[in-house]
Coordinates of all heavy atoms in Angstrom, one line a residue:
D211 N -6.1 3.1 5.2 CA -6.5 1.7 5.4 C -8.1 1.5 4.9 O -8.8 2.1 5.6 CB -6.3 1.1 6.7 CG -6.7 -0.2 6.9 OD1 -7.3 -0.9 5.8 OD2 -6.7 -0.8 8.0
A212 N -8.3 1.2 3.7 CA -9.7 1.0 3.2 C -10.4 0.0 3.8 O -11.6 -0.3 3.5 CB -9.7 0.9 1.7
Y213 N -9.9 -0.7 4.9 CA -10.5 -1.9 5.5 C -10.5 -1.6 7.0 O -10.3 -2.6 7.8 CB -9.9 -3.2 5.0 CG -9.9 -3.3 3.6 CD1 -8.7 -2.9 2.9 CD2 -11.0 -3.7 2.8 CE1 -8.7 -2.9 1.5 CE2 -10.8 -3.5 1.4 CZ -9.6 -3.2 0.7 OH -9.6 -3.1 -0.6
A214 N -10.4 -0.4 7.5 CA -10.3 -0.1 8.9 C -11.5 -0.2 9.6 O -12.2 0.9 9.9 CB -9.6 1.4 9.1
Y215 N -12.1 -1.3 9.8 CA -13.5 -1.6 10.3 C -13.5 -1.3 11.8 O -12.5 -1.6 12.4 CB -13.8 -3.0 9.9 CG -12.7 -3.9 10.4 CD1 -12.7 -4.4 11.6 CD2 -11.7 -4.4 9.4 CE1 -11.7 -5.2 12.0 CE2 -10.8 -5.2 9.9 CZ -10.8 -5.8 11.2 OH -9.8 -6.5 11.6
P216 N -14.7 -1.2 12.3 CA -14.8 -1.1 13.8 C -15.0 -2.6 14.3 O -15.5 -3.5 13.5 CB -16.2 -0.4 14.0 CG -17.0 -0.7 12.6 CD -16.0 -0.8 11.6
A228 N -12.6 -7.7 6.8 CA -12.2 -7.8 5.3 C -13.1 -6.9 4.5 O -13.5 -5.8 4.8 CB -12.0 -9.1 4.8
E229 N -13.6 -7.5 3.5 CA -14.4 -6.8 2.5 C -16.0 -6.6 3.0 O -16.6 -6.0 2.3 CB -14.4 -7.5 1.2 CG -13.0 -7.3 0.6 CD -12.7 -8.1 -0.6 OE1 -13.8 -8.8 -1.1 OE2 -11.7 -8.2 -1.2
G230 N -16.2 -7.2 4.1 CA -17.5 -6.8 4.7 C -17.6 -5.4 5.3 O -18.5 -4.9 5.4
W231 N -16.3 -4.9 5.5 CA -16.3 -3.5 5.9 C -15.3 -2.8 4.8 O -14.1 -2.3 5.1 CB -15.7 -3.3 7.3 CG -15.5 -1.9 7.8 CD1 -14.4 -1.3 8.1 CD2 -16.5 -0.9 8.0 NE1 -14.5 0.0 8.5 CE2 -15.8 0.3 8.5 CE3 -17.9 -0.9 7.9 CZ2 -16.5 1.4 8.8 CZ3 -18.5 0.3 8.2 CH2 -18.0 1.4 8.7
D232 N -15.8 -2.7 3.6 CA -14.9 -2.3 2.4 C -15.1 -0.8 2.3 O -15.7 -0.3 1.4 CB -15.5 -3.1 1.3 CG -14.6 -2.8 0.0 OD1 -13.6 -2.2 0.0 OD2 -15.2 -3.1 -1.1
R233 N -14.5 -0.1 3.2 CA -14.6 1.4 3.2 C -13.7 2.0 4.2 O -13.2 1.4 5.1 CB -16.0 1.9 3.6 CG -16.5 1.5 5.0 CD -18.1 1.6 5.2 NE -18.3 3.1 5.2 CZ -19.1 3.8 4.3 NH1 -19.5 3.1 3.3 NH2 -19.2 5.1 4.4
F234 N -13.4 3.2 3.9 CA -12.4 3.9 4.9 C -13.3 4.5 6.0 O -14.4 4.8 5.8 CB -11.8 5.3 4.2 CG -11.0 5.0 3.1 CD1 -11.4 5.0 1.7 CD2 -9.6 4.7 3.3 CE1 -10.6 4.8 0.7 CE2 -8.8 4.5 2.2 CZ -9.2 4.5 0.8
S235 N -12.9 4.2 7.2 CA -13.6 4.6 8.4 C -13.8 6.0 8.4 O -12.9 6.9 7.9 CB -12.9 4.1 9.7 OG -11.5 4.6 9.7
D236 N -14.9 6.6 9.1 CA -15.2 7.9 9.2 C -14.2 8.8 9.8 O -13.7 9.9 9.3 CB -16.6 8.2 9.9 CG -17.8 7.5 9.1 OD1 -17.6 7.2 7.9 OD2 -18.9 7.4 9.8
Q238 N -11.0 8.1 10.2 CA -9.8 8.0 9.4 C -9.8 9.1 8.3 O -8.9 9.8 8.1 CB -9.7 6.7 8.8 CG -8.4 6.6 7.8 CD -8.3 5.3 7.0 OE1 -7.2 5.1 6.5 NE2 -9.2 4.4 7.2
L239 N -11.0 9.3 7.7 CA -11.1 10.3 6.6 C -11.1 11.6 7.2 O -10.4 12.6 6.6 CB -12.6 10.1 6.0 CG -12.7 8.9 5.1 CD1 -14.1 8.6 4.6 CD2 -11.7 8.9 3.9
C273 N -13.0 0.8 -3.2 CA -13.9 0.5 -2.2 C -15.2 1.5 -2.1 O -15.2 2.6 -2.8 CB -13.2 0.5 -0.7 SG -12.8 2.2 -0.1
A274 N -16.1 1.2 -1.1 CA -17.5 1.8 -1.2 C -17.3 3.3 -1.1 O -18.1 4.0 -1.8 CB -18.2 1.2 -0.1
N275 N -16.5 3.9 -0.3 CA -16.5 5.4 -0.1 C -15.2 6.0 -0.6 O -14.8 7.0 -0.1 CB -16.8 5.7 1.3 CG -15.8 5.3 2.3 OD1 -14.9 4.4 1.9 ND2 -15.9 5.8 3.5
A276 N -14.5 5.3 -1.6 CA -13.3 6.1 -2.1 C -13.4 7.3 -2.7 O -12.5 8.2 -2.8 CB -12.7 5.0 -3.2
I278 N -14.7 9.9 -1.4 CA -14.5 10.8 -0.4 C -13.0 11.3 -0.3 O -12.7 12.5 -0.4 CB -14.9 10.4 1.1 CG1 -16.6 10.3 1.0 CG2 -14.6 11.4 2.2 CD1 -17.1 9.7 2.3
E296 N -21.7 15.3 7.3 CA -21.9 14.0 7.8 C -20.8 13.6 8.7 O -20.9 13.0 9.7 CB -22.3 13.0 6.7 CG -22.7 11.6 7.2 CD -23.0 10.7 6.2 OE1 -23.1 11.1 4.9 OE2 -23.1 9.5 6.5
L297 N -19.6 13.8 8.2 CA -18.3 13.3 8.7 C -17.7 14.4 9.6 O -16.6 14.3 10.2 CB -17.3 12.9 7.7 CG -17.7 11.7 6.9 CD1 -16.6 11.3 5.9 CD2 -18.2 10.5 7.7

Side-chain angles (χ1 to χ4, degrees):
D211 181 359
Y213 312 93
Y215 51 84
E229 293 171 1
W231 178 247
D232 182 11
R233 58 189 294 114
F234 296 97
S235 56
D236 295 349
Q238 177 182 190
L239 292 171
C273 73
N275 62 347
I278 297 177
E296 182 180 352
L297 301 182

